[in-house]
Coordinates of all heavy atoms in Angstrom, one line a residue:
M1306 N -44.9 -33.5 7.1 CA -44.5 -33.5 5.7 C -45.7 -32.9 4.8 O -46.8 -33.3 5.0 CB -44.1 -34.9 5.2 CG -43.7 -34.9 3.8 SD -42.7 -36.4 3.5 CE -42.5 -36.2 1.7
S1307 N -45.4 -32.0 3.9 CA -46.4 -31.4 3.1 C -46.7 -32.3 1.9 O -45.9 -33.1 1.4 CB -46.1 -30.0 2.7 OG -44.9 -30.0 1.9
K1308 N -48.0 -32.1 1.4 CA -48.4 -33.0 0.3 C -49.2 -32.1 -0.6 O -49.9 -31.1 -0.2 CB -49.3 -34.0 0.9 CG -50.2 -34.8 0.1 CD -51.0 -35.8 0.9 CE -52.1 -36.4 0.2 NZ -53.0 -37.2 1.0
M1309 N -49.2 -32.3 -1.9 CA -50.0 -31.5 -2.9 C -51.2 -32.3 -3.2 O -51.2 -33.5 -3.6 CB -49.2 -31.3 -4.2 CG -48.1 -30.2 -4.0 SD -47.0 -30.0 -5.4 CE -48.0 -29.8 -6.8
V1310 N -52.3 -31.6 -3.1 CA -53.7 -32.1 -3.4 C -54.2 -31.5 -4.6 O -54.4 -30.2 -4.6 CB -54.6 -32.0 -2.2 CG1 -56.0 -32.5 -2.5 CG2 -54.0 -32.6 -1.0
K1311 N -54.5 -32.2 -5.7 CA -55.1 -31.7 -6.9 C -56.5 -31.2 -6.7 O -57.4 -32.0 -6.3 CB -55.0 -32.7 -8.0 CG -55.3 -32.1 -9.4 CD -54.9 -33.0 -10.5 CE -56.1 -33.6 -11.2 NZ -55.7 -34.5 -12.3
L1312 N -56.8 -30.0 -7.1 CA -58.2 -29.5 -7.0 C -59.0 -29.5 -8.3 O -60.1 -29.9 -8.4 CB -58.2 -28.1 -6.4 CG -57.6 -27.9 -5.0 CD1 -57.8 -26.5 -4.5 CD2 -58.1 -28.9 -4.0
C1313 N -58.3 -28.9 -9.4 CA -59.0 -28.7 -10.6 C -58.1 -28.3 -11.7 O -56.9 -28.1 -11.4 CB -60.1 -27.6 -10.4 SG -59.5 -26.0 -9.9
S1314 N -58.6 -28.1 -12.9 CA -57.8 -27.5 -14.0 C -57.8 -26.0 -13.9 O -58.8 -25.4 -13.4 CB -58.4 -28.0 -15.3 OG -57.9 -27.2 -16.4
V1315 N -56.8 -25.4 -14.4 CA -56.8 -23.9 -14.4 C -57.9 -23.4 -15.3 O -58.4 -22.3 -15.0 CB -55.4 -23.3 -14.9 CG1 -54.3 -23.6 -14.0 CG2 -55.1 -23.8 -16.3
D1316 N -58.3 -24.2 -16.2 CA -59.4 -23.7 -17.1 C -60.8 -23.8 -16.5 O -61.8 -23.2 -17.0 CB -59.5 -24.6 -18.4 CG -58.2 -24.5 -19.2 OD1 -57.6 -23.4 -19.2 OD2 -57.8 -25.5 -19.9
D1317 N -60.9 -24.4 -15.3 CA -62.2 -24.5 -14.6 C -62.5 -23.2 -13.9 O -63.7 -22.9 -13.5 CB -62.1 -25.6 -13.5 CG -62.1 -27.0 -14.1 OD1 -62.6 -27.2 -15.2 OD2 -61.5 -27.8 -13.4
V1318 N -61.5 -22.3 -13.7 CA -61.7 -21.1 -12.8 C -61.7 -19.9 -13.7 O -60.7 -19.6 -14.4 CB -60.7 -21.1 -11.7 CG1 -61.0 -20.0 -10.7 CG2 -60.5 -22.4 -11.1
E1319 N -62.7 -19.0 -13.6 CA -62.8 -17.8 -14.3 C -62.6 -16.6 -13.3 O -63.0 -16.7 -12.1 CB -64.1 -17.6 -15.0 CG -64.3 -18.6 -16.1 CD -65.7 -18.5 -16.7 OE1 -66.2 -17.4 -16.9 OE2 -66.3 -19.6 -16.9
T1320 N -62.0 -15.5 -13.8 CA -61.9 -14.3 -12.9 C -63.2 -13.9 -12.3 O -64.2 -13.9 -13.0 CB -61.3 -13.2 -13.7 OG1 -60.0 -13.6 -14.2 CG2 -61.2 -11.9 -12.9
D1321 N -63.2 -13.6 -11.0 CA -64.4 -13.2 -10.3 C -65.6 -14.2 -10.3 O -66.7 -13.8 -10.0 CB -64.9 -11.8 -10.8 CG -64.0 -10.7 -10.5 OD1 -63.2 -10.8 -9.5 OD2 -64.1 -9.6 -11.1
L1322 N -65.2 -15.5 -10.5 CA -66.3 -16.5 -10.4 C -65.7 -17.7 -9.6 O -65.0 -18.6 -10.1 CB -66.6 -17.0 -11.8 CG -68.0 -17.5 -12.1 CD1 -69.1 -16.5 -11.6 CD2 -68.2 -17.9 -13.5
P1323 N -65.9 -17.6 -8.3 CA -65.3 -18.7 -7.4 C -65.8 -20.1 -7.8 O -67.0 -20.3 -8.2 CB -65.8 -18.3 -6.0 CG -66.9 -17.3 -6.2 CD -66.7 -16.7 -7.5
F1324 N -64.9 -21.0 -7.8 CA -65.1 -22.4 -8.2 C -65.1 -23.3 -7.0 O -64.1 -23.4 -6.3 CB -64.1 -22.8 -9.3 CG -64.3 -24.1 -9.9 CD1 -65.3 -24.3 -10.8 CD2 -63.5 -25.2 -9.5 CE1 -65.5 -25.5 -11.4 CE2 -63.7 -26.5 -10.1 CZ -64.7 -26.6 -11.1
P1325 N -66.2 -24.1 -6.8 CA -66.2 -25.0 -5.6 C -65.5 -26.3 -5.9 O -65.7 -26.8 -7.0 CB -67.7 -25.2 -5.4 CG -68.3 -25.1 -6.8 CD -67.5 -24.1 -7.5
V1326 N -64.8 -26.8 -5.0 CA -64.1 -28.1 -5.1 C -64.3 -29.0 -3.9 O -64.2 -28.5 -2.8 CB -62.6 -27.9 -5.3 CG1 -61.9 -29.2 -5.4 CG2 -62.3 -27.1 -6.6
E1327 N -64.6 -30.2 -4.1 CA -64.8 -31.2 -3.0 C -63.8 -32.3 -3.3 O -63.8 -32.9 -4.3 CB -66.2 -31.8 -3.0 CG -67.3 -30.8 -2.9 CD -67.8 -30.7 -1.5 OE1 -67.4 -31.4 -0.6 OE2 -68.7 -29.8 -1.3
V1328 N -62.9 -32.5 -2.3 CA -61.9 -33.6 -2.4 C -62.1 -34.5 -1.2 O -62.2 -33.9 0.0 CB -60.5 -33.0 -2.4 CG1 -59.4 -34.1 -2.4 CG2 -60.2 -32.1 -3.6
D1329 N -62.2 -35.8 -1.4 CA -62.4 -36.7 -0.3 C -61.3 -36.5 0.8 O -60.1 -36.4 0.5 CB -62.3 -38.1 -0.8 CG -63.6 -38.6 -1.3 OD1 -64.6 -37.9 -1.2 OD2 -63.6 -39.7 -1.9
G1330 N -61.8 -36.4 2.0 CA -60.8 -36.2 3.2 C -60.5 -34.8 3.5 O -59.7 -34.6 4.5
Y1331 N -61.0 -33.8 2.8 CA -60.7 -32.4 3.0 C -62.0 -31.6 3.1 O -63.0 -32.0 2.5 CB -59.8 -31.9 1.9 CG -58.4 -32.5 1.9 CD1 -58.2 -33.6 1.1 CD2 -57.4 -32.1 2.7 CE1 -57.0 -34.3 1.1 CE2 -56.2 -32.7 2.8 CZ -56.0 -33.8 2.0 OH -54.8 -34.5 2.0
P1332 N -62.0 -30.5 3.8 CA -63.2 -29.7 3.8 C -63.4 -29.1 2.4 O -62.5 -29.0 1.6 CB -62.8 -28.6 4.9 CG -61.4 -28.6 5.1 CD -60.9 -30.0 4.6
P1333 N -64.7 -28.7 2.2 CA -65.0 -28.0 0.9 C -64.1 -26.8 0.7 O -63.8 -26.0 1.6 CB -66.4 -27.6 1.0 CG -67.0 -28.4 2.1 CD -65.9 -28.8 3.0
M1334 N -63.6 -26.6 -0.5 CA -62.7 -25.5 -0.8 C -63.3 -24.7 -2.0 O -64.1 -25.1 -2.8 CB -61.3 -26.0 -1.2 CG -60.6 -26.7 -0.1 SD -59.0 -27.2 -0.6 CE -58.6 -28.6 0.5
A1335 N -62.8 -23.4 -2.0 CA -63.2 -22.5 -3.1 C -61.9 -22.0 -3.8 O -61.0 -21.6 -3.1 CB -64.0 -21.3 -2.5
V1336 N -61.9 -22.1 -5.1 CA -60.8 -21.6 -5.9 C -61.1 -20.3 -6.6 O -62.2 -20.2 -7.2 CB -60.4 -22.7 -6.9 CG1 -59.1 -22.3 -7.6 CG2 -60.2 -24.1 -6.3
Y1337 N -60.2 -19.4 -6.5 CA -60.5 -18.0 -7.1 C -59.3 -17.7 -8.0 O -58.2 -18.1 -7.8 CB -60.5 -17.0 -6.0 CG -61.4 -17.3 -4.8 CD1 -60.9 -18.1 -3.8 CD2 -62.7 -16.8 -4.7 CE1 -61.7 -18.3 -2.6 CE2 -63.5 -17.0 -3.6 CZ -63.0 -17.8 -2.6 OH -63.8 -18.1 -1.5
L1338 N -59.6 -16.9 -9.0 CA -58.6 -16.3 -9.9 C -58.7 -14.8 -9.8 O -59.7 -14.2 -10.1 CB -58.9 -16.8 -11.3 CG -57.9 -16.3 -12.4 CD1 -56.5 -16.8 -12.1 CD2 -58.3 -16.9 -13.8
I1339 N -57.6 -14.2 -9.3 CA -57.5 -12.8 -9.1 C -56.2 -12.2 -9.7 O -55.1 -12.6 -9.3 CB -57.5 -12.4 -7.6 CG1 -58.7 -13.0 -6.9 CG2 -57.5 -10.9 -7.4 CD1 -58.7 -12.9 -5.4
D1340 N -56.4 -11.4 -10.7 CA -55.2 -10.8 -11.3 C -54.3 -11.9 -11.8 O -53.0 -11.7 -11.7 CB -54.5 -9.8 -10.4 CG -55.4 -8.6 -10.1 OD1 -56.2 -8.2 -10.9 OD2 -55.2 -8.0 -9.0
G1341 N -54.8 -12.9 -12.4 CA -54.0 -14.0 -12.9 C -53.4 -15.0 -11.9 O -52.7 -15.9 -12.3
A1342 N -53.7 -14.8 -10.6 CA -53.2 -15.7 -9.6 C -54.3 -16.5 -9.0 O -55.4 -15.9 -8.7 CB -52.4 -14.9 -8.5
F1343 N -54.0 -17.7 -8.7 CA -55.0 -18.6 -8.0 C -54.9 -18.5 -6.5 O -53.8 -18.4 -6.0 CB -54.8 -20.0 -8.5 CG -55.2 -20.2 -9.9 CD1 -54.3 -20.1 -10.9 CD2 -56.5 -20.5 -10.3 CE1 -54.6 -20.3 -12.3 CE2 -56.9 -20.7 -11.6 CZ -55.9 -20.5 -12.6
H1344 N -56.1 -18.5 -5.9 CA -56.2 -18.5 -4.4 C -57.2 -19.5 -4.0 O -58.1 -19.8 -4.7 CB -56.6 -17.1 -3.9 CG -55.7 -16.0 -4.3 ND1 -54.6 -15.6 -3.5 CD2 -55.6 -15.3 -5.4 CE1 -54.0 -14.6 -4.1 NE2 -54.5 -14.4 -5.3
V1345 N -57.0 -20.1 -2.8 CA -57.9 -21.1 -2.3 C -58.2 -20.9 -0.9 O -57.3 -20.6 -0.1 CB -57.3 -22.6 -2.5 CG1 -58.3 -23.6 -1.9 CG2 -57.1 -22.9 -4.0
T1346 N -59.5 -20.9 -0.6 CA -60.0 -20.8 0.8 C -60.9 -21.9 1.1 O -61.4 -22.6 0.2 CB -60.8 -19.5 1.1 OG1 -62.0 -19.6 0.4 CG2 -60.0 -18.2 0.6
S1347 N -61.2 -22.1 2.4 CA -62.3 -22.9 2.8 C -63.6 -22.4 2.1 O -63.7 -21.2 1.9 CB -62.5 -22.9 4.3 OG -63.8 -23.4 4.6
N1348 N -64.5 -23.3 1.7 CA -65.7 -22.8 1.0 C -66.9 -22.6 2.0 O -67.9 -22.2 1.6 CB -66.1 -23.8 -0.1 CG -67.1 -23.2 -1.0 OD1 -67.3 -22.0 -1.0 ND2 -67.7 -24.0 -1.9
T1349 N -66.6 -22.8 3.3 CA -67.7 -22.7 4.3 C -67.5 -21.5 5.1 O -66.5 -21.2 5.7 CB -67.7 -23.9 5.2 OG1 -67.7 -25.1 4.4 CG2 -68.9 -23.9 6.1
C1350 N -68.5 -20.6 5.1 CA -68.5 -19.4 5.9 C -68.3 -19.7 7.4 O -68.8 -20.7 7.9 CB -69.8 -18.6 5.7 SG -69.9 -17.1 6.6
T1351 N -67.5 -18.9 8.0 CA -67.3 -19.1 9.5 C -68.4 -18.7 10.4 O -68.4 -18.9 11.6 CB -66.0 -18.4 9.9 OG1 -66.1 -17.0 9.7 CG2 -64.7 -19.0 9.2
H1352 N -69.4 -18.0 9.8 CA -70.5 -17.5 10.5 C -71.7 -18.6 10.5 O -72.5 -18.6 11.4 CB -71.1 -16.2 10.0 CG -72.3 -15.7 10.7 ND1 -73.5 -15.6 10.2 CD2 -72.4 -15.2 12.0 CE1 -74.4 -15.1 11.0 NE2 -73.7 -14.8 12.2
G1353 N -71.8 -19.4 9.5 CA -72.9 -20.3 9.4 C -72.5 -21.3 8.3 O -71.4 -21.4 7.8
N1354 N -73.5 -22.1 7.9 CA -73.2 -23.2 7.0 C -73.5 -22.8 5.5 O -74.2 -23.5 4.8 CB -74.1 -24.4 7.4 CG -73.5 -25.7 6.8 OD1 -72.4 -25.7 6.4 ND2 -74.4 -26.7 6.6
A1355 N -73.0 -21.7 5.1 CA -73.2 -21.2 3.7 C -71.9 -21.5 2.9 O -70.8 -21.5 3.4 CB -73.4 -19.7 3.7
M1356 N -72.2 -21.9 1.6 CA -71.1 -22.1 0.7 C -70.8 -20.7 0.1 O -71.6 -20.1 -0.6 CB -71.5 -23.0 -0.4 CG -71.7 -24.5 0.0 SD -70.2 -25.3 0.3 CE -70.2 -25.4 2.1
L1357 N -69.5 -20.3 0.2 CA -69.1 -19.0 -0.2 C -69.1 -18.9 -1.8 O -69.3 -17.8 -2.3 CB -67.7 -18.6 0.3 CG -67.7 -18.5 1.8 CD1 -66.3 -18.3 2.3 CD2 -68.5 -17.3 2.3
T1358 N -69.0 -20.0 -2.4 CA -69.1 -20.0 -3.9 C -70.5 -19.7 -4.4 O -70.7 -19.4 -5.6 CB -68.6 -21.3 -4.5 OG1 -69.2 -22.4 -3.8 CG2 -67.1 -21.5 -4.4
D1359 N -71.5 -19.7 -3.5 CA -72.8 -19.3 -3.8 C -72.9 -17.7 -3.6 O -74.0 -17.2 -3.9 CB -73.9 -20.0 -3.0 CG -74.0 -21.4 -3.3 OD1 -73.6 -21.8 -4.4 OD2 -74.4 -22.2 -2.4
G1360 N -71.9 -17.1 -3.1 CA -71.9 -15.7 -2.8 C -71.4 -14.9 -4.0 O -71.4 -15.3 -5.1
F1361 N -70.9 -13.7 -3.7 CA -70.5 -12.8 -4.7 C -69.1 -12.3 -4.5 O -68.7 -11.9 -3.4 CB -71.4 -11.5 -4.6 CG -71.1 -10.4 -5.5 CD1 -71.3 -10.6 -6.9 CD2 -70.6 -9.3 -5.1 CE1 -71.0 -9.6 -7.8 CE2 -70.2 -8.2 -6.0 CZ -70.4 -8.4 -7.3
Q1362 N -68.3 -12.5 -5.5 CA -66.9 -12.1 -5.5 C -66.7 -10.8 -6.2 O -67.1 -10.6 -7.3 CB -66.0 -13.2 -6.1 CG -64.5 -12.8 -6.1 CD -63.6 -13.7 -6.9 OE1 -64.0 -14.8 -7.4 NE2 -62.3 -13.3 -7.0
E1363 N -65.9 -9.9 -5.5 CA -65.5 -8.7 -6.1 C -64.0 -8.4 -5.8 O -63.7 -8.2 -4.6 CB -66.4 -7.5 -5.7 CG -66.0 -6.2 -6.4 CD -67.0 -5.1 -6.2 OE1 -67.8 -5.2 -5.3 OE2 -67.0 -4.1 -6.9
G1364 N -63.2 -8.6 -6.8 CA -61.8 -8.5 -6.5 C -61.3 -9.5 -5.5 O -61.5 -10.7 -5.7
D1365 N -60.7 -9.1 -4.4 CA -60.2 -10.1 -3.5 C -61.2 -10.2 -2.3 O -60.8 -10.7 -1.2 CB -58.8 -9.7 -3.0 CG -58.7 -8.4 -2.2 OD1 -59.8 -7.8 -2.0 OD2 -57.6 -8.1 -1.7
T1366 N -62.4 -9.8 -2.5 CA -63.4 -10.0 -1.4 C -64.5 -11.0 -1.9 O -65.0 -10.9 -3.0 CB -64.1 -8.6 -1.2 OG1 -63.1 -7.7 -0.7 CG2 -65.2 -8.8 -0.1
I1367 N -64.8 -11.9 -0.9 CA -65.9 -12.8 -1.2 C -67.0 -12.5 -0.1 O -66.7 -12.5 1.0 CB -65.5 -14.3 -1.1 CG1 -66.7 -15.2 -1.4 CG2 -64.8 -14.7 0.2 CD1 -67.1 -15.2 -2.9
E1368 N -68.2 -12.3 -0.7 CA -69.4 -11.9 0.2 C -70.2 -13.2 0.4 O -70.6 -13.8 -0.6 CB -70.2 -10.8 -0.4 CG -71.3 -10.4 0.5 CD -72.1 -9.2 -0.1 OE1 -71.5 -8.2 -0.4 OE2 -73.3 -9.3 -0.2
C1369 N -70.6 -13.5 1.6 CA -71.4 -14.7 1.9 C -72.8 -14.5 1.4 O -73.3 -13.4 1.5 CB -71.4 -14.9 3.4 SG -72.4 -16.3 3.9
P1370 N -73.4 -15.5 0.8 CA -74.8 -15.4 0.3 C -75.8 -15.3 1.4 O -77.0 -14.9 1.2 CB -75.0 -16.7 -0.5 CG -74.1 -17.6 0.1 CD -72.9 -16.9 0.6
F1371 N -75.5 -15.7 2.7 CA -76.5 -15.7 3.7 C -76.8 -14.4 4.4 O -77.9 -13.9 4.4 CB -76.2 -16.8 4.8 CG -76.6 -18.2 4.4 CD1 -76.9 -18.5 3.1 CD2 -76.5 -19.2 5.3 CE1 -77.3 -19.8 2.7 CE2 -76.9 -20.5 5.0 CZ -77.3 -20.8 3.7
H1372 N -75.8 -13.8 5.0 CA -76.1 -12.6 5.8 C -75.2 -11.4 5.5 O -75.1 -10.5 6.2 CB -75.8 -12.9 7.3 CG -76.5 -14.2 7.8 ND1 -75.9 -15.3 8.1 CD2 -77.9 -14.4 7.9 CE1 -76.8 -16.3 8.5 NE2 -78.0 -15.7 8.3
G1373 N -74.5 -11.5 4.3 CA -73.8 -10.4 3.8 C -72.4 -10.1 4.4 O -71.8 -9.1 4.1
G1374 N -72.0 -11.0 5.3 CA -70.6 -10.9 5.8 C -69.6 -11.1 4.7 O -70.0 -11.7 3.6
S1375 N -68.4 -10.7 4.9 CA -67.4 -11.0 3.8 C -66.0 -11.2 4.3 O -65.7 -10.9 5.5 CB -67.4 -9.8 2.8 OG -66.9 -8.6 3.5
F1376 N -65.2 -11.7 3.4 CA -63.8 -12.1 3.8 C -62.8 -11.6 2.7 O -63.2 -11.5 1.5 CB -63.7 -13.6 3.9 CG -64.6 -14.3 4.9 CD1 -65.8 -14.7 4.5 CD2 -64.2 -14.5 6.2 CE1 -66.7 -15.3 5.4 CE2 -65.0 -15.1 7.1 CZ -66.2 -15.5 6.7
C1377 N -61.6 -11.4 3.1 CA -60.5 -11.2 2.2 C -60.1 -12.6 1.7 O -59.7 -13.4 2.5 CB -59.3 -10.5 2.8 SG -57.9 -10.3 1.7
I1378 N -60.1 -12.8 0.4 CA -59.8 -14.1 -0.2 C -58.3 -14.4 0.0 O -57.9 -15.5 0.2 CB -60.1 -14.1 -1.7 CG1 -61.6 -14.0 -1.9 CG2 -59.5 -15.3 -2.4 CD1 -62.1 -13.7 -3.3
K1379 N -57.4 -13.3 -0.1 CA -56.0 -13.6 0.0 C -55.5 -13.9 1.4 O -54.6 -14.7 1.5 CB -55.3 -12.3 -0.5 CG -55.5 -12.1 -2.0 CD -54.8 -10.8 -2.5 CE -55.0 -10.6 -4.0 NZ -54.4 -9.3 -4.4
T1380 N -56.1 -13.3 2.4 CA -55.7 -13.6 3.8 C -56.6 -14.4 4.6 O -56.2 -14.9 5.7 CB -55.4 -12.2 4.5 OG1 -56.7 -11.6 4.7 CG2 -54.5 -11.3 3.7
G1381 N -57.9 -14.5 4.2 CA -58.9 -15.1 5.0 C -59.5 -14.3 6.0 O -60.5 -14.7 6.7
A1382 N -59.0 -13.1 6.2 CA -59.5 -12.2 7.3 C -61.0 -11.8 7.1 O -61.4 -11.5 5.9 CB -58.7 -10.9 7.4
A1383 N -61.8 -11.8 8.1 CA -63.1 -11.3 8.1 C -63.1 -9.8 7.8 O -62.4 -9.1 8.4 CB -63.9 -11.6 9.3
K1384 N -64.0 -9.4 6.9 CA -64.0 -7.9 6.5 C -65.3 -7.2 7.0 O -65.3 -6.0 7.2 CB -63.9 -7.8 5.0 CG -62.5 -8.1 4.4 CD -62.5 -8.0 2.9 CE -61.9 -6.6 2.6 NZ -61.6 -6.5 1.1
N1385 N -66.4 -8.0 7.0 CA -67.6 -7.4 7.4 C -68.4 -8.3 8.4 O -68.4 -9.5 8.1 CB -68.5 -7.1 6.2 CG -68.1 -5.8 5.5 OD1 -67.9 -4.8 6.0 ND2 -67.9 -6.0 4.2
L1386 N -69.0 -7.7 9.3 CA -69.9 -8.5 10.2 C -71.1 -9.0 9.4 O -71.5 -8.4 8.4 CB -70.4 -7.5 11.4 CG -69.3 -7.1 12.3 CD1 -69.9 -6.0 13.3 CD2 -68.8 -8.2 13.1
P1387 N -71.7 -10.1 9.8 CA -71.4 -10.8 11.1 C -70.2 -11.7 11.1 O -70.1 -12.4 12.1 CB -72.7 -11.6 11.3 CG -73.2 -11.9 9.9 CD -72.8 -10.7 9.1
C1388 N -69.4 -11.8 10.1 CA -68.3 -12.6 10.1 C -67.2 -12.0 10.9 O -66.8 -10.8 10.8 CB -67.8 -12.8 8.6 SG -69.0 -13.5 7.6
E1389 N -66.6 -12.8 11.8 CA -65.5 -12.4 12.7 C -64.4 -13.3 12.6 O -63.2 -12.9 12.7 CB -66.0 -12.2 14.1 CG -67.1 -11.1 14.3 CD -67.5 -11.0 15.8 OE1 -68.4 -11.8 16.2 OE2 -66.9 -10.1 16.4
E1390 N -64.7 -14.6 12.6 CA -63.6 -15.7 12.5 C -63.0 -15.7 11.1 O -63.8 -15.7 10.1 CB -64.2 -17.0 12.8 CG -64.7 -17.2 14.2 CD -63.5 -17.3 15.2 OE1 -62.6 -18.1 14.9 OE2 -63.6 -16.7 16.2
P1391 N -61.7 -15.7 11.0 CA -61.1 -15.8 9.6 C -61.4 -17.1 8.9 O -61.7 -18.1 9.6 CB -59.6 -15.6 9.9 CG -59.4 -16.1 11.3 CD -60.7 -15.8 12.0
L1392 N -61.3 -17.1 7.6 CA -61.4 -18.3 6.8 C -60.1 -19.0 6.7 O -59.0 -18.3 6.7 CB -61.7 -17.9 5.3 CG -63.1 -17.7 4.8 CD1 -63.1 -17.4 3.3 CD2 -64.0 -18.9 5.1
A1393 N -60.1 -20.3 6.6 CA -58.8 -21.0 6.3 C -58.4 -20.6 4.8 O -59.2 -20.6 3.9 CB -59.0 -22.5 6.4
V1394 N -57.1 -20.3 4.7 CA -56.6 -20.1 3.3 C -55.5 -21.2 3.1 O -54.8 -21.6 4.0 CB -56.0 -18.7 3.1 CG1 -57.1 -17.7 3.2 CG2 -54.9 -18.4 4.1
Y1395 N -55.3 -21.6 1.9 CA -54.4 -22.7 1.5 C -53.3 -22.1 0.6 O -53.6 -21.3 -0.2 CB -55.1 -23.8 0.8 CG -56.2 -24.5 1.7 CD1 -57.5 -24.0 1.8 CD2 -55.8 -25.6 2.4 CE1 -58.4 -24.6 2.6 CE2 -56.8 -26.2 3.3 CZ -58.0 -25.7 3.4 OH -59.0 -26.3 4.2
K1396 N -52.1 -22.7 0.7 CA -51.1 -22.4 -0.2 C -51.3 -23.1 -1.5 O -51.7 -24.3 -1.5 CB -49.7 -22.9 0.4 CG -48.5 -22.5 -0.4 CD -47.2 -22.8 0.3 CE -46.1 -22.5 -0.6 NZ -44.9 -23.2 -0.3
V1397 N -51.2 -22.3 -2.6 CA -51.6 -22.8 -3.9 C -50.3 -23.0 -4.8 O -49.4 -22.3 -4.7 CB -52.5 -21.8 -4.6 CG1 -52.8 -22.3 -6.0 CG2 -53.8 -21.6 -3.8
Q1398 N -50.4 -24.1 -5.6 CA -49.3 -24.3 -6.5 C -50.0 -24.7 -7.9 O -51.0 -25.5 -7.8 CB -48.4 -25.4 -6.0 CG -47.1 -25.4 -6.8 CD -46.0 -26.1 -5.9 OE1 -46.0 -26.0 -4.7 NE2 -45.1 -26.7 -6.6
V1399 N -49.5 -24.2 -9.0 CA -50.0 -24.6 -10.3 C -48.9 -25.3 -11.0 O -47.8 -24.9 -11.1 CB -50.4 -23.3 -11.1 CG1 -50.9 -23.7 -12.5 CG2 -51.5 -22.6 -10.3
D1400 N -49.3 -26.5 -11.5 CA -48.4 -27.3 -12.2 C -49.0 -28.0 -13.4 O -50.1 -28.7 -13.2 CB -47.8 -28.4 -11.3 CG -46.6 -29.1 -11.8 OD1 -45.8 -28.5 -12.5 OD2 -46.5 -30.3 -11.6
E1401 N -48.5 -27.9 -14.6 CA -49.0 -28.5 -15.8 C -50.5 -28.3 -16.0 O -51.2 -29.3 -16.3 CB -48.6 -30.0 -15.8 CG -47.1 -30.2 -15.8 CD -46.7 -31.7 -16.1 OE1 -47.6 -32.5 -16.1 OE2 -45.5 -31.9 -16.2
G1402 N -50.9 -27.1 -15.8 CA -52.3 -26.7 -16.0 C -53.3 -27.2 -14.9 O -54.5 -27.1 -15.1
Q1403 N -52.8 -27.7 -13.8 CA -53.6 -28.1 -12.7 C -53.4 -27.2 -11.5 O -52.2 -26.8 -11.2 CB -53.4 -29.6 -12.4 CG -53.5 -30.5 -13.5 CD -54.9 -30.6 -14.1 OE1 -55.9 -30.8 -13.3 NE2 -55.0 -30.6 -15.4
V1404 N -54.4 -27.0 -10.7 CA -54.3 -26.2 -9.5 C -54.3 -27.2 -8.3 O -55.1 -28.1 -8.2 CB -55.5 -25.3 -9.3 CG1 -55.4 -24.5 -8.0 CG2 -55.7 -24.4 -10.5
F1405 N -53.2 -27.0 -7.5 CA -53.0 -27.8 -6.3 C -53.0 -27.0 -5.0 O -52.7 -25.8 -5.1 CB -51.7 -28.5 -6.3 CG -51.5 -29.5 -7.5 CD1 -51.1 -29.0 -8.7 CD2 -51.7 -30.9 -7.3 CE1 -51.0 -29.9 -9.8 CE2 -51.5 -31.8 -8.3 CZ -51.1 -31.3 -9.6
V1406 N -53.4 -27.6 -3.9 CA -53.1 -26.9 -2.6 C -52.0 -27.8 -1.9 O -51.9 -29.0 -2.1 CB -54.3 -26.8 -1.7 CG1 -55.2 -25.7 -2.2 CG2 -55.0 -28.1 -1.5
V1407 N -51.2 -27.0 -1.1 CA -50.1 -27.7 -0.4 C -50.7 -27.8 1.0 O -51.0 -26.8 1.7 CB -48.8 -26.9 -0.4 CG1 -47.7 -27.6 0.4 CG2 -48.4 -26.7 -1.9
V1408 N -50.8 -29.1 1.5 CA -51.4 -29.3 2.8 C -50.4 -30.0 3.7 O -49.5 -30.7 3.2 CB -52.7 -30.1 2.8 CG1 -53.8 -29.2 2.1 CG2 -52.6 -31.4 2.1
Ligands
FES1308 FE1 -72.1 -16.3 6.2 FE2 -73.9 -15.7 8.0 S1 -73.5 -17.6 7.2 S2 -72.5 -14.4 7.0

């Protein structure tokens, strides 16, 4: 059975500025705003222990701050080495000004 987990307010997230979220019982997540739509991925790089929200977002790409690897925010696919493993992506729902993931 799926469940909605509240992450943050829509006002917390700015375009091209990934927002880190920690919710008890879940891995760290990153919330992104791209072309008016919210996206959520795991916030931990699959190559090492870097927080992607410390990296650089350009459009739908997030670049890791450690070794320059990158991922597609929308699909989680690795785009540049040394990243090869995809990122977890979450289904997002916005309700009454709050951003949720469906888990
Ligand atoms: Fe992210 Fe190495 S830890 S590219």
